[in-house]
Amino acid sequence: MKRIKGLIILAIILIALPILFPNNYFITVVGTAVALHAVLAISLNLLMGYAGQISLGHAAFFGIGAYSSAILTTQHQWNPLLSIGAGMLITGIIAFVIARPILKLKGHYLAMATLGFGIIVSIILVQAGNFTGGPDGLSDIPPLALFGWTISSDFHWYVVMSTVLLLIVWLVNNLIDSRSGRALRALHGSEVAAEMMGINTTSVKTNVFVLSALIASFVGSLFAHQQAFISPDSFSFFFSIELVTMVVLGGLASTYGAIFGALVLTFLPELLVVFEDYEVMVFGGILMLMMIFMPQGLFVALENLISRLYRNYFNPPLPVPASDGENHDVA
Amino acid sequence: MFDQILQFLITGMTTGAIYALVALGFTIIYNASDVVNFAQGEFVMMGAMSTIFLAAGDNGLPIPLAAATSVVLVICVGILLQRFAIAPARGASVVTTIIITIGASIFLRGVALVIWGKDIQAMAHFSGEIPIHIGNATLLPQNLWVMGGTALMVLGVHYFFHHTMQGKAILACSYNRDAANLMGINVGLMMLVAYGLSALLGAMAGILVTPISFTSYDAGVMLGLKGFSAAILGGMGNPMGAVVGGLLLGLIESLAAGLISSGYKDAIGFIILLLVLFIRPSGLMGRRSSDRV
Amino acid sequence: MTLLKVEGLLKSFGGVTAIADLDFEVPEGVVYSIIGPNGAGKTTLFNMLSGIYIPDEGSISLNGKDMVGLSPHKIARSGVARTFQNLQIFFNMSVLENVLVGCHLRIKENLISTALRLPMAVREEAKAKQWAIDALNFCGLGEYISSPSDALSYGVLKRMEIARALAMKPSIIMMDEPAAGLNDTETAEMLSLIRRISESGITVLLVEHNMNLVMQVSDRVLVLDYGSRLAEGSTEEIQNNPQVIAAYLGTDTNDGVIGTKTGGSHYAV
């Protein structure tokens, strides 16, 4: 039930916002960006939060999806829907091929390998000018049409992206609470024990890596059609880092945390614009401070704070939970 | 053809020397505190930038004095980074420390942007720009400064770790922090020394190479990443490996840029990084890592 | 009937021999204990039996099927479960979820019905939950079903690992020092749990230092010394084996001396 409750609250918020604030730039444009970032963060969280595998190159898959769609629709006049599928296929193959050697690594090594992969992809996007348009990127990407309905306005995109977000939250939460999801999390807890329970850890790692890349590729394609223009800047190493920060900020292994992280990191630059030249400095400073003082994530920290306030002001202090009477000695 | 290759080797050795210094600084911090310092490249940028601005104008300091002041400044930055960003987060996960140091690098870049602006800055060559000819290849005096300076610093670092009590104390901390503490080593102080030393190497690298390569507020990013690649190529945690890895990476990049494609020069460094990690994660000179099962 | 057969097993690490030319057979349905001083190679043996290490030489067969070279998850598939000397808990999951992971191989899953949460998947999940609850109750952990695993005592976690292994419905369970670090009451509970597991028809392979427990619960005992077999036989034979007594008194006097067996009677459950 808890699973459904969160989803309903999220749906209500997403529906209520445009009703409460009609024709509001923040709601439609920034809201769409938040939803898109949230889906990316959720997909990365599958890999990082649940399976415990760091990736500093997630933006690469987002970019491969976006560029596949852009290239196929502008240079080969493919149908946008078909190009989304093709992008996912390409991403899936690339992710599958690199998953095994990359996921053999752990800790800093894994971080470096995924970082290296991400940078290689972004360099290719800049250098392969014949296909990618080089640093200038690609423009005139046709809009997406669904069953004869062309998604064109900011509000349309808000609706589409919100729907995608709700769908992904639902699917991911179902998955996490299943046999496969537990296998993922077991991997994070103890690889040896997971293997001894009959879990093929190598293939679980590969699968989650590919799944997370596929989701990123899918929203990458949507992003390309939404923006109608893409350039390598949107898929750089820095965006990978931003995605990782969203996940960690929200609190690892929490889908709603990832959404929260996406919300904060998408709004932050919008708010920091007032700092003008100081924007970069303030952003870096905030990033550092949040990680130093709330390493388990802002979402968890806020949750704790709210429940503490709630207890202090609205309820008498709770009695200390009674001991279960079994005082086991810990060796 | 031979001259051309010789030219690539000269260029490669010069960039390689800088990579080596960055990689060495990165390795010192990694060994001392198990932290991958993404702000390493910013030490390089800040060393160069502050030297340029201290030496600028009619009332500017002479270059040696400006350089020395900058090095001290950057050392302070390194120490502050350890004290206020790394030390409070001790025991945090790999991801958390990575984001902290990335946050620090963005912060330092932001500071540089505010103080020095967005423009690309140049620095005067230390001893003129009259090229030295070796066959048809040319060598600037500054290339010699870079290679010579790097060699001196590498020797200095080697001496520090193997022949001074402080250096040995840092090594002890990196092998076993708690045991070092019990032996009466001031671990906290040693961490500061390690970060300071690492910042010093970065700043010196920046000052040496900027006459050739110019600098700007965001010049540290790529340099830092290349330094990591070099460190992994040589064997993560092995200081001499870092130096060899740096030189090798510089040479390969320069040859590849000249013979294959200059646009993909940067990609080659990272492709090597991936290949090393896939085939031999312990690097060329590393022990078998325990980080991998 | 022989369930597990080990022949000519050999493993060395960098020139140090951990297991040297070891043979033994475990009949089906028994409690088979492996004892020996620290460093005798017991855990190394377990790691080879469960596929974590690959032996340098020799064969391991389960029900006549060769197991050497199989990865741990394949060995688990053929009905081998184990617990660990150093607990391997999924601390990111609740007690129930930990045990549900043990049901991994028994749950039939169709990714699409799971992702969409179709009735089929819901039914399968409910069935698995019942298996997990049964395993927890069997191990006396009924009260901890919904607890998070990172808030439990060592003794509870040890039993949870066993519940997790039992949820696999294995034909053989390997327990690596289940009583280590437990107090007297908990050790008595562990003894009765091992008996119940054995009575339910599962073959138990036990590595344990607590000799009282070993002597009370085992059908057969294998004594290892420096990776090779010092003796093998019934508990009585082992207790009276002069070589075993010499080895134990000579090398390790404070660690479960055989002679204390008489003092163990108050542990009887």
Side-chain angles (χ1 to χ4, degrees):
Chain A
M1 264 309 94
K2 195 184 156 207
R3 199 183 305 121
I4 300 296
K5 210 169 83 184
L7 196 64
I8 291 172
I9 294 176
L10 181 64
I12 292 173
I13 294 174
L14 288 172
I15 295 169
L17 281 175
I19 297 174
L20 293 176
F21 309 95
N23 301 322
N24 184 308
Y25 162 83
F26 255 8
I27 299 305
T28 48
V29 175
V30 184
T32 307
V34 170
L36 182 138
H37 289 163
V39 175
L40 285 172
I42 290 170
S43 69
L44 181 59
N45 193 29
L46 269 179
L47 186 65
M48 272 183 54
Y50 290 111
Q53 313 292 318
I54 311 175
S55 171
L56 299 184
H58 204 55
F61 297 119
F62 179 56
I64 294 171
Y67 269 91
S68 301
S69 266
I71 292 171
L72 290 174
T73 50
T74 57
Q75 294 166 16
H76 303 276
Q77 282 73 44
W78 279 39
N79 176 310
L81 285 180
L82 212 58
S83 76
I84 293 177
M88 288 172 75
L89 186 69
I90 296 168
T91 308
I93 292 170
I94 294 175
F96 184 79
V97 169
I98 64 166
R100 235 158 239 259
I102 276 199
L103 295 170
K104 258 191 213 160
L105 304 164
K106 291 185 198 314
H108 290 127
Y109 291 85
L110 178 61
M112 286 305 177
T114 49
L115 174 108
F117 169 72
I119 293 178
I120 291 170
V121 170
S122 63
I123 292 174
I124 292 174
L125 293 184
V126 175
Q127 295 299 331
N130 290 345
F131 301 102
T132 64
D136 299 333
L138 290 170
S139 49
D140 297 325
I141 303 164
L144 200 58
L146 277 177
F147 318 113
W149 174 55
T150 305
I151 306 164
S152 50
S153 74
D154 290 344
F155 180 68
H156 287 170
W157 273 108
Y158 176 83
V159 173
V160 169
M161 219 56 101
S162 303
T163 315
V164 170
L165 174 61
L166 287 171
L167 207 65
I168 292 283
V169 169
W170 184 58
L171 292 176
V172 165
N173 279 352
N174 283 346
L175 183 75
I176 285 311
D177 237 355
S178 73
R179 172 185 184 265
S180 303
R182 283 189 298 267
L184 263 187
R185 289 182 287 157
L187 191 75
H188 193 182
S190 160
E191 255 180 67
V192 178
E195 275 276 334
M196 281 315 300
M197 306 285 116
I199 296 167
N200 183 346
T201 50
T202 316
S203 91
V204 170
K205 278 188 197 174
T206 308
N207 293 348
V208 68
F209 190 73
V210 172
L211 175 66
S212 136
L214 286 178
I215 299 175
S217 171
F218 173 66
V219 285
S221 293
L222 292 186
F223 177 73
H225 291 296
Q226 182 215 353
Q227 299 285 319
F229 159 76
I230 53 172
S231 75
D233 286 347
S234 312
F235 314 101
S236 67
F237 156 63
F238 296 106
F239 189 58
S240 290
I241 299 303
E242 269 186 56
L243 291 175
V244 170
T245 311
M246 289 175 197
V247 172
V248 178
L249 190 63
L252 288 165
S254 155
T255 302
Y256 295 106
I259 299 175
F260 182 75
L263 181 75
V264 173
L265 271 222
T266 314
F267 265 100
L268 202 55
E270 300 282 337
L271 301 177
L272 294 184
V273 170
V274 298
F275 288 100
E276 292 175 0
D277 286 351
Y278 293 83
E279 185 190 329
V280 181
M281 190 179 94
V282 175
F283 180 78
I286 291 177
L287 206 59
M288 253 195 308
L289 291 177
M290 286 193 294
M291 283 303 117
I292 295 170
F293 296 108
M294 291 171 281
Q296 81 283 57
L298 195 57
F299 193 58
V300 177
L302 269 181
E303 247 180 6
N304 291 346
L305 182 74
I306 290 170
S307 65
R308 208 168 53 222
L309 288 178
Y310 182 79
R311 241 179 287 152
N312 287 349
Y313 292 102
F314 299 99
N315 275 353
L318 287 176
V320 180
S323 139
D324 61 9
E326 273 190 66
N327 288 317
H328 298 278
D329 289 336
V330 174
Chain B
M1 188 64 192
F2 174 77
D3 290 330
Q4 214 182 355
I5 289 185
L6 186 63
Q7 187 68 57
F8 295 148
L9 291 180
I10 293 169
T11 322
M13 282 297 278
T14 310
T15 3
I18 299 307
Y19 293 164
L21 287 181
V22 178
L24 187 57
F26 162 70
T27 305
I28 291 170
I29 287 185
Y30 180 73
N31 280 349
S33 61
D34 223 14
V35 165
V36 172
N37 177 26
F38 276 87
Q40 196 67 31
E42 271 61 38
F43 292 156
V44 179
M45 174 273 293
M46 294 190 104
M49 277 291 202
S50 57
T51 305
I52 291 171
F53 278 82
L54 286 170
D58 296 335
N59 302 323
L61 300 173
I63 286 271
L65 197 56
T69 317
S70 302
V71 170
V72 173
L73 272 174
V74 178
I75 290 175
C76 293
V77 171
I79 289 174
L80 290 175
L81 175 73
Q82 201 285 329
R83 183 68 193 75
F84 293 105
I86 306 295
R90 192 167 136 58
S93 68
V94 172
V95 197
T96 309
T97 50
I98 284 179
I99 300 181
I100 290 174
T101 61
I102 288 176
S105 81
I106 296 174
F107 177 76
L108 293 176
R109 221 175 298 145
V111 171
L113 181 66
V114 170
I115 304 178
W116 299 307
K118 278 195 166 159
D119 298 334
I120 293 177
Q121 304 290 341
M123 193 193 284
H125 288 235
F126 293 180
S127 36
E129 297 179 45
I130 303 160
I132 303 156
H133 292 276
I134 307 173
N136 282 329
T138 55
L139 179 71
L140 290 170
Q142 194 67 32
N143 290 95
L144 294 175
W145 273 102
V146 172
M147 292 183 223
T150 301
L152 273 180
M153 272 185 288
V154 169
L155 289 176
V157 168
H158 189 268
Y159 180 84
F160 177 74
F161 278 117
H162 293 276
H163 299 281
T164 67
M165 278 316 280
Q166 289 241 307
K168 287 182 184 179
I170 294 179
L171 280 184
C173 296
S174 68
Y175 290 130
N176 188 329
R177 197 185 173 106
D178 295 330
N181 207 354
L182 287 173
M183 298 310 288
I185 294 173
N186 184 341
V187 175
L189 179 68
M190 289 308 125
M191 291 297 134
L192 293 180
V193 174
Y195 276 73
L197 178 61
S198 178
L200 176 146
L201 293 175
M204 286 300 290
I207 294 165
L208 287 171
V209 81
T210 300
I212 301 177
S213 68
F214 308 109
T215 192
S216 64
Y217 81 102
D218 59 356
V221 181
M222 238 342 150
L223 262 179
L225 295 174
K226 293 290 181 56
F228 304 150
S229 299
I232 286 178
L233 176 61
M236 190 105 136
N238 179 335
M240 289 308 124
V243 174
V244 174
L247 292 174
L248 207 58
L249 184 63
L251 286 173
I252 296 171
E253 265 192 17
S254 160
L255 286 172
L259 302 175
I260 305 171
S261 145
S262 62
Y264 285 103
K265 185 190 86 168
D266 288 337
I268 283 157
F270 295 105
I271 289 169
I272 291 173
L273 167 77
L274 280 193
L275 288 179
V276 170
L277 286 172
F278 289 174
I279 297 163
R280 194 185 153 87
S282 52
L284 297 176
M285 299 173 70
R287 291 156 293 178
R288 264 193 82 78
S289 90
S290 56
D291 220 18
R292 186 168 183 260
V293 171
Chain C
M1 199 196 131
T2 303
L3 180 65
L4 177 72
K5 189 170 178 183
V6 169
E7 277 177 308
L9 203 64
L10 196 131
K11 179 78 187 174
S12 56
F13 296 101
V16 180
T17 307
I19 293 287
D21 198 21
L22 184 67
D23 300 289
F24 67 92
E25 284 183 20
V26 180
E28 195 172 341
V30 301
V31 175
Y32 193 98
S33 291
I34 299 165
I35 63 171
N38 286 322
K42 302 182 299 287
T43 297
T44 305
L45 175 62
F46 261 27
N47 281 343
M48 278 191 280
L49 294 178
S50 52
I52 295 169
Y53 295 159
I54 295 170
D56 299 337
E57 278 172 39
S59 76
I60 300 166
S61 61
L62 188 78
N63 270 327
K65 206 178 117 204
D66 186 24
M67 305 299 261
V68 171
L70 293 187
S71 49
H73 69 267
K74 293 218 171 100
I75 289 179
R77 250 166 235 268
S78 26
V80 178
R82 81 170 275 191
T83 67
F84 298 86
Q85 186 184 349
N86 304 314
L87 291 177
Q88 297 287 330
I89 307 293
F90 308 126
F91 280 115
N92 49 345
M93 292 191 235
S94 74
V95 169
L96 180 67
E97 286 176 323
N98 262 275
V99 181
L100 274 169
V101 176
C103 303
H104 186 80
L105 293 174
R106 297 165 71 191
I107 303 175
K108 289 185 206 69
E109 189 187 66
N110 168 341
L111 211 55
I112 293 173
S113 68
T114 302
L116 302 179
R117 220 160 194 89
L118 298 180
M120 203 176 95
V122 175
R123 269 200 307 275
E124 193 65 23
E125 189 73 11
K127 222 161 51 176
K129 221 164 248 178
Q130 195 51 53
W131 294 332
I133 291 172
D134 290 346
L136 281 165
N137 282 331
F138 187 86
C139 297
L141 295 172
E143 57 182 306
Y144 299 105
I145 285 171
S146 50
S147 312
S149 59
D150 53 4
L152 298 177
S153 71
Y154 188 71
V156 172
L157 290 176
K158 288 217 122 173
R159 275 185 287 154
M160 192 192 85
E161 262 207 348
I162 296 171
R164 194 175 66 184
L166 291 176
M168 294 169 69
K169 262 204 151 190
S171 53
I172 182 166
I173 179 169
M174 302 197 280
M175 301 167 101
D176 200 348
E177 303 205 16
L182 299 189
N183 63 27
D184 288 355
T185 328
E186 289 169 332
T187 307
E189 283 168 5
M190 189 57 75
L191 175 75
S192 93
L193 177 58
I194 295 172
R195 283 204 172 128
R196 272 182 285 138
I197 293 171
S198 177
E199 279 159 17
S200 74
I202 298 171
T203 307
V204 178
L205 196 59
L206 183 70
V207 160
E208 184 50 61
H209 274 299
N210 184 323
M211 284 308 139
N212 293 318
L213 187 137
V214 169
M215 292 306 158
Q216 287 186 61
V217 83
S218 310
D219 297 306
R220 292 194 78 76
V221 178
L222 167 71
V223 188
L224 283 187
D225 196 24
Y226 294 106
S228 48
R229 167 175 162 164
L230 190 68
E232 204 253 17
S234 66
T235 49
E236 214 159 283
E237 285 162 10
I238 294 301
Q239 281 165 14
N240 298 321
N241 185 316
Q243 267 182 303
V244 175
I245 295 169
Y248 263 78
L249 293 179
T251 56
D252 201 348
T253 46
N254 54 7
D255 184 82
V257 175
I258 301 261
T260 60
K261 67 177 157 111
T262 47
S265 55
H266 69 274
Y267 282 140
V269 177

